[in-house]
Amino acid sequence: MKKYSIVIVENDEDEQFFMKEGFDAAGLFEIKAQLRNGDELLEWLKENETLLPDLVLSDLNMPGKNGYDILDELKANPAYTHLPIIITSTSSAQTIIDKCRQKGAAEYMIKPDTFVEYEPFVVRLHGVVTSKQLVKT
């Protein structure tokens, strides 16, 4: 199975911890960085232009630049337009999902309710990336 490189953008420290555990347990992704908001992501991307990840998984609601801002800025920059961005949030509101897709999100995934559900979440994420061919091989 193909292992993808990923940058995770999530402001909640507990969520970061449980996400990392789920990603490590699933073994399907290589985490290049875990960042707290879109400001940190943009800085990281500039500093790592030659080592861009296969995709970005970003929380929607964060202080500083949020998921909408990330979509706007990355889709407006030719250096990053190819980079799939998957938005994740606790919200299942169709209007929010539609807005993210209109702004260029490759996918929208609802966060797990409990920390023990992160490994299955990561497996689903890998399936989405593979089945939709979000990453160019």
Side-chain angles (χ1 to χ4, degrees):
M1 218 178 300
K2 168 90 170 116
K3 191 171 188 175
Y4 300 108
S5 62
I6 190 168
V7 169
I8 300 170
V9 186
E10 169 63 57
N11 65 297
D12 184 276
E13 288 182 21
D14 290 336
E15 202 85 33
Q16 283 179 358
F17 175 80
F18 294 126
M19 283 180 135
K20 182 162 179 8
E21 281 197 335
F23 275 88
D24 289 348
L28 298 169
F29 292 88
E30 174 194 352
I31 299 174
K32 295 273 193 186
Q34 278 189 279
L35 309 167
R36 292 180 302 218
N37 59 40
D39 298 306
E40 287 186 10
L41 173 65
L42 292 170
E43 184 178 316
W44 187 90
L45 290 171
K46 286 177 191 170
E47 292 172 0
N48 294 277
E49 285 181 350
T50 60
L51 301 170
L52 293 180
D54 291 321
L55 68 143
V56 172
L57 177 68
S58 176
D59 185 22
L60 181 60
N61 299 308
M62 299 174 285
K65 290 190 191 303
N66 62 30
Y68 294 131
D69 298 326
I70 289 170
L71 289 167
D72 290 341
E73 294 204 27
L74 267 57
K75 294 306 173 186
N77 185 328
Y80 308 125
T81 55
H82 71 284
L83 192 59
I85 304 162
I86 298 176
I87 298 294
T88 186
S89 179
T90 56
S91 175
S92 60
Q94 193 61 47
T95 54
I96 292 173
I97 295 168
D98 291 344
K99 183 175 180 180
C100 288
R101 289 191 173 136
Q102 288 167 358
K103 287 182 168 286
E107 187 58 71
Y108 182 99
M109 295 182 67
I110 298 168
K111 286 183 184 179
D113 290 329
T114 64
F115 71 91
V116 295
E117 296 175 56
Y118 264 109
E119 185 177 353
F121 172 84
V122 172
V123 171
R124 280 194 316 279
L125 173 64
H126 190 272
V128 166
V129 171
T130 303
S131 68
K132 291 191 174 190
Q133 298 180 340
L134 298 180
V135 174
K136 307 295 183 234
T137 54

